[in-house]
Amino acid sequence: MVREKRVDAEVDVLWDDFHAQVNVPSAQLRQWLLTRGSGEESFGPNPDLDLPEPGRQILQVLTKRKVDLTPEDIEVMRDAVDRIESLMDAKPPRGNADDEWRHSLLDLGHDPLVER
């Protein structure tokens, strides 16, 4: 008999919020993080381990199925949603291009230029 792992209703809502806020595909996020992390110091033998945080953790969650989430993954998702919402609330005035603001969002897997 195969048992299906049940997902808490709160985690269900968080999963949907996380995937709505993290609107950058995982391959694009990985490429962005590799670019961000490749400053003056080079990567070690395994570049994935050297990806900037919390982007690396977000990327790991994106590779999982909902039923495979750990408590740590749930915390990463909650933190990412909170950080993205806070940054979106701090959006610079229209017409003021703020690359650092957008880069901070991209580090979390959210591109404010992508329409929903």
Side-chain angles (χ1 to χ4, degrees), residues 6 25 27 41 45 72 111:
R6 296 200 58 177
E41 297 185 21
E72 292 79 19
D111 188 347

Side-chain angles (χ1 to χ4, degrees), residues 34-79:
L34 284 169
T35 301
R36 284 286 269 188
S38 65
E40 294 179 15
E41 297 185 21
S42 62
F43 287 111
N46 186 349
D48 285 344
L49 297 177
D50 297 331
L51 292 174
E53 296 294 349
R56 183 180 61 81
Q57 295 169 321
I58 292 168
L59 193 56
Q60 288 175 337
V61 171
L62 288 173
T63 66
K64 293 190 174 190
R65 299 177 311 157
K66 194 183 325 182
V67 296
D68 295 331
L69 295 173
T70 66
E72 292 79 19
D73 296 330
I74 292 167
E75 190 56 39
V76 167
M77 290 169 47
R78 190 172 286 124
D79 183 55

Side-chain angles (χ1 to χ4, degrees), residues 1-63:
M1 181 165 116
V2 175
R3 273 196 208 189
E4 200 171 302
K5 188 174 175 183
R6 296 200 58 177
V7 176
D8 184 284
E10 182 182 340
V11 173
D12 234 1
V13 170
L14 179 59
W15 176 267
D16 291 341
D17 289 347
F18 175 78
H19 283 86
Q21 292 292 341
V22 177
N23 63 1
V24 174
S26 57
Q28 185 180 341
L29 175 57
R30 183 178 185 283
Q31 185 61 45
W32 169 255
L33 294 172
L34 284 169
T35 301
R36 284 286 269 188
S38 65
E40 294 179 15
E41 297 185 21
S42 62
F43 287 111
N46 186 349
D48 285 344
L49 297 177
D50 297 331
L51 292 174
E53 296 294 349
R56 183 180 61 81
Q57 295 169 321
I58 292 168
L59 193 56
Q60 288 175 337
V61 171
L62 288 173
T63 66

